[in-house]
């Protein structure tokens, strides 16, 4: 995304109907999540591992607002790594958008060029200043997404990890995008009120496909994940049912899941209509295993 002259950016609140507006605090998507794949040079994989580990440690230790910075190798392409950064605010990351710089050893391990950049998606609390700072960074293109509904908490809900990150893509029935946003915000309001361990639940429309949303979740721990569906809660169950009716369930949702363990079958099936919805096509990554690089996420870090 590039700004036209004098263009203003409003990325501060969900774009839903009035009756489903988020409660105080829930609409403030101040944390920024930077996510995507980066390519490694053919002969630099081992050097990349060494330099990324050192780089992530340096960033984590120098910036207490960084709660997660890690990377995993792609399951199909060993020279491609998924990169994840979670920072308390875009401003807190102001001096890091352009890193690694050409003077840092990690820079030389990436395959991207100014003519063929890697793309990293930015979700959450970015603004016009963030766009301006990231327009001319060589070898990386930042793709900024605007939230249509949901919330992102700046703190860890007072609950210890290990956290569970879900980055998924879901198809919506034609003509139902607005209703999806409204019904999802109603669900998010209940989650925000009732389940402290749900740290993020947000949907971001895809600019290229009008029937596709980027659907992100962050749970403080597995217990928080289990709590997000409570069949004994009639209000929540009915709200989730109305929300789920807007998805095109003929197409399984896909994406990546990062957690300490992904053995629970509930992580791979629909929480609403498990019997009639195709299993999710998820790539799973386990903290501390399968070539993980970087720092273990700590979502209560630097909480007041």
């Amino acid at each position: 995304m590039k700004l036209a002259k004098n263009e203003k950016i409003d990325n501060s609140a969900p774009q839903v109907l009035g009756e489903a507006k988020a409660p105080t605090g829930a609409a403030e998507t101040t944390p920024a999540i930077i996510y995507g794949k980066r390519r490694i040079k053919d002969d630099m994989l081992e050097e990349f591992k060494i330099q990324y580990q050192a780089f992530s440690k340096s960033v984590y230790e120098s910036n207490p607002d960084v709660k997660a910075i890690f990377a995993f190798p792609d399951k199909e392409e060993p020279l491609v790594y998924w990169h994840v950064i979670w920072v308390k605010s875009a401003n807190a990351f102001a001096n890091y958008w352009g890193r690694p710089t050409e003077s840092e050893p990690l820079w030389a391990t990436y395959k991207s060029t100014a003519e063929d950049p890697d793309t990293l998606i930015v979700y959450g609390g970015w603004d016009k200043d963030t766009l301006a700072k990231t327009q001319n960074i060589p070898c990386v293109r930042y793709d900024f997404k605007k939230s249509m509904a949901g919330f992102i908490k700046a703190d860890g809900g007072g609950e210890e990890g290990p956290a569970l990150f879900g980055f998924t893509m879901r198809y919506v029935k034609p003509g139902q995008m607005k209703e999806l946003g409204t019904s999802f915000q109603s669900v998010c309001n209940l989650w925000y009120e009732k389940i402290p361990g749900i740290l993020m639940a947000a949907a971001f429309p895809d600019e290229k496909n009008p029937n596709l949303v980027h659907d992100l979740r962050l749970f403080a721990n597995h217990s928080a994940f289990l709590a997000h569906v409570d069949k004994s809660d009639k209000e929540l169950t009915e709200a989730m049912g109305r929300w789920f009716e807007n998805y095109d369930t003929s197409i399984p949702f896909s994406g990546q899941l990062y957690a300490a363990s992904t053995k629970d079958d509930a992580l791979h099936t629909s929480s609403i209509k498990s019997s009639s919805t195709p299993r999710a096509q998820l790539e799973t990554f386990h903290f501390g295993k399968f070539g993980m690089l970087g720092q273990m996420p700590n979502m209560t870090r630097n909480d007041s």
Side-chain angles (χ1 to χ4, degrees), residues 253-264:
F253 67 88
S254 60
Q256 298 78 41
L257 183 62
Y258 302 87
S261 172
T262 58
K263 291 181 179 179
D264 189 342

Side-chain angles (χ1 to χ4, degrees), residues 50-119:
I50 294 169
Q51 296 303 333
Y52 182 87
Q53 199 65 27
F55 174 78
S56 64
K57 186 174 186 290
S58 172
V59 171
Y60 190 80
E61 291 182 350
S62 65
N63 191 339
D65 286 329
V66 173
K67 296 192 172 193
I69 177 168
F70 60 88
F72 277 92
D74 185 78
K75 296 294 182 72
E76 302 296 329
E77 301 177 80
L79 290 174
V80 171
Y81 269 68
W82 291 95
H83 286 49
V84 181
I85 299 175
W86 180 288
V87 63
K88 220 168 188 178
S89 72
N91 287 337
F93 207 64
N95 296 326
Y96 296 84
W97 289 105
R99 294 187 62 192
T101 62
E102 291 184 64
S103 63
E104 294 178 282
L106 179 61
W107 170 280
T109 68
Y110 288 119
K111 189 176 182 179
S112 59
T113 64
E115 295 73 28
D116 182 23
D118 288 330
T119 297

